[in-house]
Amino acid sequence: MWLYFLSMHPGKTQVSGFQTGRPARQRPEAGTTAPLRWLSGFVPGAWFGDAWGVSTETLNSAAELRAFLHGLPGVDRVGAEERAARLATRSIKTTAKAAAIDLAISMVDLTTLEGADTPGKVRALCAKAAHPDPADASVPKVAAVCVYPDMVDVAVRSLDGTGIGVASVATAFPSGRAPMEAKLADTRAAVAAGAAEIDMVIDRGAFLAGDYAKVFDEIVAVKDACGDAHLKVILETGELATYDNVRRASWLAMRAGADFIKTSTGKVSPAATLPVTLVMLEAVRDYRAATGRQVGVKPAGGIRTTKDAIKYLVLVNETAGPDWLTPEWFRLGASSVLNDLLMQRRKLATGVYSGPDYFTLD
Amino acid sequence: MVFEYAPAPESRAVVDIRASYGLFVNGEFTEGHGEPFKSVNPADESVLADIARADESDVDRAVRAARTAFDKVWGPMPGRERAKYLYRIARLVQERSRELAVLESIDNGKPIRESRDVDVPLVAAWFFYYAGWADKLGHAGFGPDPKPVGVAGQVIPWNFPLLMLAWKIAPALACGNTVVLKPAETTPLTALLFADICRQAELPPGVVNIVTGAGETGRALVAHEGIDKVAFTGSTEVGRQIARTLAGTGRKLTLELGGKAANIVYEDAALDQAVEGIVNGIFFNQGHVCCAGSRLLVQESVAGEVLERLKARMATLRVGDPLDKNTDIGAINSAAQLARIEELSQAGEREGADRWSPPCELPSQGFWFAPTIFTGVAQSHRIAREEIFGPVLSVLTFRTPDEAVTKANNTPYGLSAGIWTEKGSRILWTAQRLRAGVVWANTFNKFDPASPFGGYKESGFGREGGRHGLEAYLNA
């Protein structure tokens, strides 16, 4: 097996050379799944990338990365969509629904990504994030607020003391069509302003052209620029088009050091879908089984109702498993879903629906 | 976080189960002359209703009613008029779908998700499809003006009570035949509800007759001299008896019998979807499926990986109350079937195969069997050769495509098979060599009224479904 063979010869040529001072990847934390468990041929990547605390330099060439990604098992479109649709028929009622709603609220990355964003708009969103329902203190706060880099400063000050992190999109979001220096500057500026999480976009053009090494190197470079900030890698699955591509891009991003893989920018249709998220959840599950490192998943865009949100939670529960059912490992990139969650929450508690004017619009 | 799904039971209020049911003969419910029997809910062993038992005189009455209806009303009726009744039945099935689904799950033990999303929609689809043929029989390839056969005697099994009824009745009626149908003794209730739908649709009396009872009622029906055509779905053993009974009589016969389908997973398959397909292949309807993918043939190079994923997936299967909307695997249909599954599973262990089930708590009342796989199974083991008809999968391995095909075909049965590979040419190469009536590629247990279904060898003969399914009901 070529993968095994190559793993015996570390330290060959790097994928490409523009990035220097590349940090070694962290070893998988103790206590996660034993990396050896499924190594019997399950995931070839076990010997590569950030697995085993080996630095990415063990990736020998662009050709090998390409061969690895193309060697992943395919995704059958009909089967994947059928599975997602079937899980969507799960009936979540009463106590399960109440627990799911609170969990979903705590996983929301409350987002505003508009050209018309102002400090006032961002401050309002931050207030909402800390107290989603001013009438009910038992409502959990959301996971993070997600803004453009130039609004990070405002958001950080507004959220001071709430424990809510600020996530910033970066790397010339949403298209990613900018010189590498600009993308890195974008990232560093956001981190310097206090962003705890960076949502970068991959170069879909390079990915579709088969230049996986370029995509890989960019993620590594941005990860480096992130410092301690967590890196979410946006695949923009609506532009990758096939589930095979989604799986390949997921593995590519994870091996390049992503802490999270995220479906979409929200600017391209389709944004997050259940089958796409299913494929990504399978990827993080397999990746952890192979390497011991857990990577989070964030569907973003198009999640508008409580029903939608609960479908995603069921998908997580029955695909990656309960280990991912925390805000640390699963996020919902959305904004309008929050009020629907609040409305359903109050309906469950009181038995009656409150009108939309009983929930704040920020 | 542990995400527990709260119970989500479908309401039983939608069905009204009567204390006792008669036979449906000539458009009316009548008494039977045999000793009534009981239909039991397999999920908790509670008695659902007393069911009339048809003896020979009752069968004779039903056959004569069917003959009269054939001679006087249904046979002479133009196809476009028959079609109206069939469309009406299809729509009524849709309108009463919830009632039918709940009743099917109560009487059979199958999960409501399947009766709601698979059985009942397919029943409606079957009637819609054959309604469309009723006035186009001259274009079906059986001559310019093919004639109906006459009275059809139909005996159906308990695994898909209502769907098998639709498979039998819809083409028969579309072609201008009348029918006497015997549902299985453990699952008669939806057939009797269907009788009510026939009345609601104002189907002329005698066109559909339903006689309930056990084996002797079935024997009386298939041996009756007034029957022109027999259609049977069930065990190979009973199929043989029927074939002997009908030999030399000149009456038409189609048999859809057992199976031991191979589900072949090549190393280049889309593994996550293949695992789903394996699960759907064997655990759909508790494995009470004649075309179930009960033999997994997996290429050795990916066997470990596939099994690992399969076991992880099986651990998420939810076994329990058939009426809970989140249940994946319901109850075994009867004590007798449970005993057979247990017997064969024990034989599997004795013969040296490794048995595995995910941890799962089974209800104390009712008939239950945990989803089970056997690994290290050889072709010579009983669990690789005999139809278990339960949620039990035998896992075998192969090294080359030739070996896969050889092993797949090395069975007395030949009803269905599955192929999993991302390579189109390999699908075609394999499918051409498999001796099975239905071959699924990258999917399993998919049914459509336009697609013919039937077996090779001991799985029977004749085809049901599609244009081909008309042939059995026409004097072509």
Side-chain angles (χ1 to χ4, degrees):
Chain A
M1 225 171 107
W2 64 269
L3 286 162
Y4 179 78
F5 172 73
L6 288 172
S7 70
M8 298 292 101
H9 298 81
K12 287 194 184 171
T13 336
Q14 294 182 6
V15 173
S16 62
F18 77 82
Q19 222 266 318
T20 51
R22 185 182 299 169
R25 295 272 82 81
Q26 295 296 305
R27 285 200 81 89
E29 307 106 63
T32 49
T33 312
L36 275 169
R37 203 174 122 222
W38 281 358
L39 272 184
S40 52
F42 185 6
V43 178
W47 305 93
F48 273 90
D50 56 1
W52 301 78
V54 179
S55 78
T56 48
E57 276 82 353
T58 48
L59 258 180
N60 292 32
S61 72
E64 281 153 21
L65 177 62
R66 180 189 183 78
F68 167 76
L69 294 175
H70 285 252
L72 290 167
V75 183
D76 185 75
R77 183 178 62 82
V78 175
E81 290 177 357
E82 211 170 58
R83 173 69 178 147
R86 179 175 294 180
L87 283 174
T89 69
R90 289 290 193 216
S91 182
I92 306 301
K93 301 290 182 203
T94 59
T95 51
K97 187 173 181 180
I101 287 174
D102 278 5
L103 182 61
I105 292 171
S106 73
M107 288 171 164
V108 167
D109 275 5
L110 203 58
T111 303
T112 183
L113 295 170
E114 291 164 21
D117 281 346
T118 58
K121 161 82 182 168
V122 170
R123 276 194 290 270
L125 198 71
C126 291
K128 173 89 168 178
H131 303 287
D133 186 347
D136 186 349
S138 68
V139 176
K141 59 185 191 234
V142 304
V145 168
C146 184
V147 293
Y148 270 115
D150 61 337
M151 290 294 161
V152 169
D153 178 47
V154 178
V156 167
R157 276 186 276 126
S158 304
L159 290 171
D160 188 31
T162 62
I164 301 171
V166 174
S168 173
V169 297
T171 69
F173 180 94
S175 71
R177 297 251 72 85
M180 193 57 207
E181 292 73 18
K183 295 184 187 181
L184 292 176
D186 203 17
T187 307
R188 290 194 189 102
V191 174
E197 302 170 1
I198 296 296
D199 290 23
M200 73 169 284
V201 291
I202 64 165
D203 184 341
R204 283 87 74 188
F207 185 91
L208 291 170
D211 193 355
Y212 302 128
K214 177 163 192 281
V215 181
F216 186 96
D217 284 353
E218 284 197 11
I219 297 170
V220 170
V222 173
K223 172 79 181 164
D224 186 36
C226 280
D228 290 335
H230 271 223
L231 177 64
K232 303 199 196 96
V233 177
I234 302 172
L235 310 179
E236 196 64 300
T237 54
E239 292 184 346
L240 301 184
T242 69
Y243 297 122
D244 287 328
N245 277 348
V246 171
R247 174 168 289 179
R248 287 172 189 157
S250 299
W251 275 87
L252 175 63
M254 291 188 292
R255 287 184 40 180
D259 298 303
F260 254 79
I261 49 176
K262 175 175 167 183
T263 60
S264 326
T265 59
K267 307 292 183 192
V268 166
S269 181
T273 66
L274 288 169
V276 155
T277 310
L278 173 78
V279 171
M280 290 166 64
L281 286 164
E282 287 166 354
V284 296
R285 175 199 67 194
D286 293 350
Y287 184 77
R288 187 182 74 169
T291 68
R293 187 169 83 89
Q294 188 163 344
V295 174
V297 177
K298 175 177 170 185
I303 305 163
R304 294 196 177 85
T305 64
T306 301
K307 259 198 175 134
D308 291 339
I310 291 177
K311 283 174 188 172
Y312 280 99
L313 298 184
V314 167
L315 205 60
V316 174
N317 192 37
E318 299 198 35
T319 307
D323 288 355
W324 269 265
L325 276 178
T326 76
E328 194 188 351
W329 299 113
F330 193 75
R331 296 283 179 85
L332 297 164
S335 37
S336 60
V337 74
L338 183 56
N339 270 5
D340 195 62
L341 286 163
L342 296 172
M343 201 183 280
Q344 294 297 334
R345 191 179 190 277
R346 199 180 291 179
K347 158 71 170 58
L348 264 187
T350 65
V352 291
Y353 277 108
S354 304
D357 285 345
Y358 290 86
F359 302 94
T360 59
L361 291 170
D362 299 280
Chain B
M1 181 191 123
V2 180
F3 187 10
E4 295 282 0
Y5 303 165
E10 179 64 76
S11 168
R12 290 177 67 136
V14 69
V15 298
D16 178 22
I17 302 177
R18 300 206 298 269
S20 67
Y21 286 86
L23 313 171
F24 185 67
V25 175
N26 208 24
E28 298 195 351
F29 284 101
T30 66
E31 297 286 303
H33 291 87
E35 181 68 20
F37 61 98
K38 295 180 189 318
S39 190
V40 167
N41 180 345
D44 60 10
E45 298 174 61
S46 62
V47 173
L48 294 168
D50 283 327
I51 312 293
R53 189 188 299 267
D55 68 2
E56 280 185 29
S57 69
D58 297 318
V59 169
D60 183 57
R61 196 154 49 89
V63 173
R64 278 189 284 114
R67 174 63 59 190
T68 306
F70 174 71
D71 289 340
K72 300 242 159 78
V73 187
W74 198 251
M77 188 185 285
R80 64 178 180 277
E81 295 300 317
R82 293 198 304 269
K84 288 181 189 171
Y85 287 100
L86 292 172
Y87 280 123
R88 201 179 293 164
I89 290 171
R91 285 194 298 268
L92 284 167
V93 166
Q94 288 184 318
E95 278 170 27
R96 300 179 70 174
S97 58
R98 181 174 292 218
E99 189 182 351
L100 288 164
V102 171
L103 188 60
E104 192 78 311
S105 282
I106 291 174
D107 201 19
N108 170 278
K110 66 175 66 200
I112 186 74
R113 177 171 64 72
E114 290 177 5
S115 49
R116 179 195 67 201
D117 295 348
V118 182
D119 293 53
V120 176
L122 279 174
V123 169
W126 239 268
F127 279 99
F128 276 120
Y129 177 81
Y130 279 107
W133 271 117
D135 62 350
K136 303 173 191 72
L137 297 172
H139 306 281
F142 306 112
D145 188 19
K147 297 298 181 196
V149 175
V151 177
Q154 306 176 320
V155 178
I156 58 170
W158 46 260
N159 58 341
F160 293 95
L162 194 62
L163 183 58
M164 289 302 105
L165 173 147
W167 281 32
K168 297 280 184 280
I169 291 184
L173 263 48
C175 293
N177 306 276
T178 56
V179 304
V180 179
L181 176 129
K182 188 197 88 69
E185 67 269 30
T186 60
T187 56
L189 293 184
T190 45
L192 295 165
L193 184 56
F194 179 80
D196 190 48
I197 287 175
C198 291
R199 290 213 296 199
Q200 211 182 339
E202 294 174 5
L203 192 70
V207 174
V208 168
N209 303 275
I210 292 169
V211 292
T212 42
E216 66 276 18
T217 307
R219 269 191 290 279
L221 178 59
V222 300
H224 195 287
E225 293 190 347
I227 295 284
D228 299 302
K229 186 247 166 348
V230 170
F232 172 76
T233 297
S235 71
T236 296
E237 189 188 321
V238 175
R240 280 205 192 90
Q241 290 172 20
I242 293 174
R244 275 195 288 270
T245 307
L246 292 195
T249 63
R251 283 179 235 150
K252 293 181 78 148
L253 173 65
T254 48
L255 297 173
E256 201 266 88
L257 308 173
K260 192 73 189 175
N263 203 359
I264 302 171
V265 178
Y266 285 111
E267 61 187 355
D268 57 359
L271 291 182
D272 286 308
Q273 286 71 48
V275 165
E276 279 309 306
I278 295 165
V279 168
N280 290 338
I282 187 61
F283 300 123
F284 173 59
N285 202 33
Q286 296 76 246
H288 301 330
V289 185
C290 45
C291 52
S294 51
R295 280 187 298 151
L296 172 62
L297 287 172
V298 57
Q299 196 151 11
E300 271 188 42
S301 53
V302 289
E305 190 174 342
V306 166
L307 278 173
E308 195 82 50
R309 288 177 191 233
L310 177 61
K311 286 178 174 177
R313 174 68 179 87
M314 282 173 69
T316 69
L317 288 169
R318 305 172 66 87
V319 186
D321 179 9
L323 283 183
D324 192 307
K325 291 177 220 166
N326 293 325
T327 292
D328 296 317
I329 298 187
I332 302 299
N333 181 251
S334 65
Q337 187 56 31
L338 180 60
R340 172 161 175 81
I341 297 168
E342 279 169 349
E343 194 264 319
L344 272 165
S345 298
Q346 281 154 15
E349 282 186 274
R350 272 201 308 277
E351 289 178 323
D354 292 318
R355 179 174 178 166
W356 184 88
S357 291
C360 75
E361 217 171 291
L362 299 178
S364 52
Q365 283 282 305
F367 315 126
W368 301 92
F369 197 86
T372 299
I373 55 175
F374 278 98
T375 51
V377 178
Q379 287 285 91
S380 57
H381 290 168
R382 277 183 72 195
I383 51 170
R385 306 203 64 76
E386 296 182 28
E387 186 177 36
I388 300 174
F389 222 64
V392 182
L393 177 69
S394 301
V395 183
L396 298 91
T397 58
F398 67 89
R399 295 160 296 177
T400 63
D402 275 323
E403 188 182 354
V405 168
T406 304
K407 282 183 165 170
N409 285 335
N410 181 219
T411 165
Y413 295 109
L415 189 54
S416 66
I419 305 168
W420 296 86
T421 167
E422 287 276 274
K423 195 165 187 162
S425 59
R426 187 164 289 143
I427 292 173
L428 297 175
W429 183 92
T430 310
Q432 281 166 348
R433 284 158 181 78
L434 289 174
R435 282 178 292 154
V438 183
V439 178
W440 285 292
N442 290 332
T443 189
F444 210 94
N445 275 343
K446 281 281 173 302
F447 307 98
D448 190 281
S451 171
F453 183 93
Y456 279 48
K457 301 189 280 186
E458 284 195 18
S459 292
F461 49 80
R463 292 292 178 265
E464 294 182 306
R467 185 184 65 79
H468 311 69
L470 297 166
E471 188 176 9
Y473 293 99
L474 291 172
N475 269 325

